[in-house]
Structures are given as C-alpha cells and as structure tokens.
Amino acid sequence: MMANLEKGKALMAKEETKILISNGETNMLHESHPKSIPMNGGESPYSYAQHSFYQREMAEAAKNAITEAITEKLDIQNPSSESPQPFRIADLGCSIGPNTFISVQNIVEAVELKYQNCIQEDQHNPKPLEFEVLFNDHAENDFNTLFRSLPLSRRYFAGGVPGSFHGRLFPRSSLHFVNSFSALHWLSKVPAEVVDSNSAAFNRANIYCSGAVKEVTEAFSAQHKEDMEGFLSARAEELVKGGLMALNLVGLPDGVILAETATGMGFDLLDSCLVDMAKMGLISEAKVESFNLPIYYPPAKELMAVVEANDHCFRVERFDILSYPLKHAPADVQMVVSHTRAALEGLIMNHFGNEILEKLFNSYGKKLEENYFIFDQKNRKDVDFFILLKRK
C-alpha cells in the first residue's frame, strides 16, 4: 500500500500544478508555466544591469511617444477630488534595472504634467497626485538588485509583483497605466513540437526560430499568439476603463525572416560554436539539437492581427516603429558578446551546465569578429515596435 501511495505521489509530481480560484462569480484555472530563466542578476561583469544598452536606448527613444500618448489619450479621473486615488503603474518584465526606472520616470513625469493641466482647467487645488509603481517579473528574477537600485529621488511608492505576465497578476480595474518594455518577444515556453524528434517541426538545425522552416515557424507563431492572447486578456481585466498600455517589443517587417537579420546571423554563429563543442566531445550533439531559445520575433501584420483580435477590450491608438542612434551605430563586438551573455547565459547554463560558458562565449566573440559583415546596415532589418492600447 505504501508503495502505491509513493507511486501516486510521483505521478502527481509530474503533472502541471493547477490551482482553481473562485472569485464569487467565475472560476479561473491557472496553469503553471515551465521554470523561467531570468536575465543575469547581481552587479557582476555579465549582469543584465551592466549590459542592457540596447534596451536603454529603446527606453529613451520611447519617451516622446509615451509623453504624447499620455497627453492626448489618458483619462485623468476626478482631478478635483480632495483624496485622489493613487495612480497605479505596472511595469511588466522589469528585470533588474536600470531601464525600468527610465521608463517609469518618463510615465510619471508625463502623468504629472497632464494632471496639472487638468487642475488648471478645473480651477481647483486638490492634493498632489500620488503614484504607486508595481514592478513585475518572474519569481526567479533578482528583485534584491532591483530594489537596491531604486532611485533615491523617485516620486512613487514601489512594490514587487512576482509571476508570469501571461496570466492575471493584479485585481480587476486596479491599474491606470501598463508598460511592457522589450519583453513580449520572450515566449512562456519553447513549443513542444520543436524539440520532438518525431515531429515535422523538430528544430534540429537551429537554436532559434529562423523562419526558414515552415513547420518550425508555425509552432513558434502559434505559441506567441497564445501568449499574447493570455497577456492581453489579463490586462483587459486589470486596467481601468480609459487606462493605457504601452508595449515595446522586437519584431520583423513583413516579408523578412529572422535568419536574414544581424540578430539571426548572430544566433547562427552562437549555434555554430555549440556544434563545434559537440564535435570536440565537450557536449552531446543531442543536447545541441534539443536546445531552443524561447524567443519569437513576430512580423508586423501578424502582431497587429493578434492585437486587433482584442478590439472588444482595447482600441489601438498607435502602432509605430521606434528609431534610435544605437540601431544604426557601428557594432562593438565585445558589447554584443556581453549583452548576449547577460540575456542568454542562464538558459545555456540550465541546458548544458556552466563548464562550457567561458569557452563558448570566447569562441562566439572570435566568430563575430571574423564575420563582422553581419552588422552591415543592410542586415539590421529587425525593428522595435511601439504599440499604444486604450482600455474601452
């Protein structure tokens, strides 16, 4: 009997955890996502905080778009109230800073300006608007470094909310502004079929969705669509009527596949480094064939279709492409290596172990130098989308 009990426990442990939550009106079934692998934490030479310069440039580039969006589209509720409610901002996929602080500060400043203009129009003198900023990322994120790095001069109360943003995180109608910056190209998981050797979508030849194989692309596209639908449905519950959501994510122009871009070519070089190590017997060939990055760069039309499918909840106010100087600047190979390592080291270490890291990234740096042509402007085809949605 004890043996059967232990066997039963083992079988249960293999099942995904499912939690049924009753809210008094409807039941919501939340399924746990696979273990997340966050960006490198801490303040080490390869931490994300030290090497997220591309994202920093994107945050700065988005400042004018954010300010214009808030000025023109945000509904400020009851500015003449004697006790206005805190204006709540959620930053989803915040990582460990400092870029999240740049984005949040841009939002706070724009809302304050809008609030002051509303006060002047209404000829009232209410109390100053207070802000609450809720920083979200997976539970494995280095929140300690994030909160140690909070700006001392900030004009908001701060809180952390761990969990996947592909599901509900906040109470209904509790947020006024949602920001998600350079995070939505990350999938909740690698599609099962791309690591199944018996599937037509088995991605043996690449470590990413190159766009060259139809079945692989369809599998990644379907996963991205499912993730985006979950993300948008959750935010529709959490945003107040008239609330805004700003999304920055990496994607592709229509008709371009990732393998034709500098980013894709960089992934190919990293893949070739892993193949070389397999040939040397440092890792197994099977390990290389089963390794996939949970990343998908959606084409513009595909992304717009997913967003517009939620038109019963959101109105699309803007769908633009951001431009910033670093996008066109000459590449610094060591900066590219450090950035790649900060973002992908955890994934690589989880799959292959940490023994190969130094050799892998040293080899990657050499191959980037030997193939510097991949950074030519003609290959910088991936784009950074800025999407503004308003809750109906």
Side-chain angles (χ1 to χ4, degrees), residues 252-261 297 299 381-382:
L252 297 169
D254 294 317
V256 173
I257 63 173
L258 192 54
E260 298 171 344
T261 71
Y297 286 14
K381 300 175 183 177
D382 51 295

Short mmCIF file of all heavy atoms in Angstrom, two decimals, residues 252-261 297 299 381-382:
data_model
loop_
_atom_site.label_atom_id
_atom_site.label_comp_id
_atom_site.label_asym_id
_atom_site.label_seq_id
_atom_site.Cartn_x
_atom_site.Cartn_y
_atom_site.Cartn_z
N LEU A 252 9.64 41.95 -36.77
CA LEU A 252 10.19 41.95 -38.12
C LEU A 252 9.26 42.68 -39.08
O LEU A 252 8.04 42.63 -38.93
CB LEU A 252 10.37 40.51 -38.61
CG LEU A 252 11.35 39.63 -37.85
CD1 LEU A 252 11.21 38.19 -38.30
CD2 LEU A 252 12.77 40.13 -38.06
N PRO A 253 9.82 43.33 -40.09
CA PRO A 253 8.97 43.84 -41.18
C PRO A 253 8.36 42.65 -41.91
O PRO A 253 8.93 41.56 -41.95
CB PRO A 253 9.96 44.59 -42.08
CG PRO A 253 11.19 44.79 -41.25
CD PRO A 253 11.24 43.65 -40.29
N ASP A 254 7.21 42.84 -42.50
CA ASP A 254 6.59 41.76 -43.27
C ASP A 254 7.49 41.34 -44.41
O ASP A 254 8.08 42.18 -45.10
CB ASP A 254 5.22 42.22 -43.80
CG ASP A 254 4.22 42.45 -42.67
OD1 ASP A 254 4.17 41.63 -41.75
OD2 ASP A 254 3.51 43.49 -42.72
N GLY A 255 7.60 40.03 -44.62
CA GLY A 255 8.42 39.51 -45.70
C GLY A 255 9.86 39.25 -45.35
O GLY A 255 10.64 38.76 -46.18
N VAL A 256 10.26 39.56 -44.11
CA VAL A 256 11.63 39.33 -43.65
C VAL A 256 11.62 38.20 -42.62
O VAL A 256 10.75 38.15 -41.76
CB VAL A 256 12.23 40.60 -43.02
CG1 VAL A 256 13.59 40.31 -42.38
CG2 VAL A 256 12.35 41.71 -44.05
N ILE A 257 12.58 37.27 -42.73
CA ILE A 257 12.71 36.23 -41.72
C ILE A 257 13.92 36.55 -40.84
O ILE A 257 14.85 37.25 -41.27
CB ILE A 257 12.84 34.82 -42.35
CG1 ILE A 257 14.11 34.71 -43.19
CG2 ILE A 257 11.60 34.49 -43.17
CD1 ILE A 257 14.38 33.29 -43.70
N LEU A 258 13.92 36.03 -39.62
CA LEU A 258 14.96 36.39 -38.67
C LEU A 258 16.35 35.97 -39.14
O LEU A 258 17.34 36.64 -38.84
CB LEU A 258 14.66 35.76 -37.30
CG LEU A 258 15.48 36.27 -36.12
CD1 LEU A 258 15.41 37.78 -36.00
CD2 LEU A 258 15.02 35.61 -34.82
N ALA A 259 16.44 34.87 -39.90
CA ALA A 259 17.74 34.41 -40.40
C ALA A 259 18.40 35.43 -41.32
O ALA A 259 19.62 35.39 -41.53
CB ALA A 259 17.58 33.08 -41.12
N GLU A 260 17.62 36.37 -41.87
CA GLU A 260 18.16 37.39 -42.78
C GLU A 260 18.62 38.63 -42.04
O GLU A 260 19.08 39.59 -42.67
CB GLU A 260 17.08 37.78 -43.80
CG GLU A 260 16.62 36.63 -44.68
CD GLU A 260 15.42 36.99 -45.53
OE1 GLU A 260 14.74 38.01 -45.23
OE2 GLU A 260 15.15 36.25 -46.51
N THR A 261 18.52 38.65 -40.74
CA THR A 261 18.89 39.83 -39.95
C THR A 261 20.20 39.60 -39.20
O THR A 261 20.65 38.45 -39.02
CB THR A 261 17.80 40.16 -38.92
OG1 THR A 261 17.80 39.15 -37.89
CG2 THR A 261 16.42 40.20 -39.57
N TYR A 297 10.24 36.64 -32.92
CA TYR A 297 10.09 38.00 -33.43
C TYR A 297 8.91 38.00 -34.41
O TYR A 297 9.05 37.53 -35.54
CB TYR A 297 11.35 38.45 -34.16
CG TYR A 297 12.53 38.79 -33.28
CD1 TYR A 297 12.57 38.42 -31.93
CD2 TYR A 297 13.64 39.48 -33.77
CE1 TYR A 297 13.65 38.73 -31.12
CE2 TYR A 297 14.72 39.80 -32.98
CZ TYR A 297 14.72 39.42 -31.66
OH TYR A 297 15.81 39.73 -30.86
N PRO A 299 6.21 39.09 -37.25
CA PRO A 299 6.06 40.06 -38.34
C PRO A 299 4.98 41.08 -37.99
O PRO A 299 4.08 40.81 -37.19
CB PRO A 299 5.63 39.20 -39.53
CG PRO A 299 5.98 37.80 -39.15
CD PRO A 299 5.85 37.73 -37.66
N LYS A 381 17.62 44.44 -40.04
CA LYS A 381 16.25 44.51 -40.53
C LYS A 381 15.20 44.36 -39.44
O LYS A 381 14.04 44.72 -39.65
CB LYS A 381 16.02 43.43 -41.59
CG LYS A 381 16.93 43.56 -42.81
CD LYS A 381 16.74 42.39 -43.76
CE LYS A 381 17.68 42.48 -44.93
NZ LYS A 381 17.54 41.30 -45.84
N ASP A 382 15.56 43.77 -38.29
CA ASP A 382 14.56 43.65 -37.23
C ASP A 382 14.23 45.03 -36.71
O ASP A 382 15.05 45.96 -36.76
CB ASP A 382 15.05 42.73 -36.11
CG ASP A 382 16.43 43.11 -35.60
OD1 ASP A 382 17.39 43.01 -36.38
OD2 ASP A 382 16.54 43.52 -34.42
#
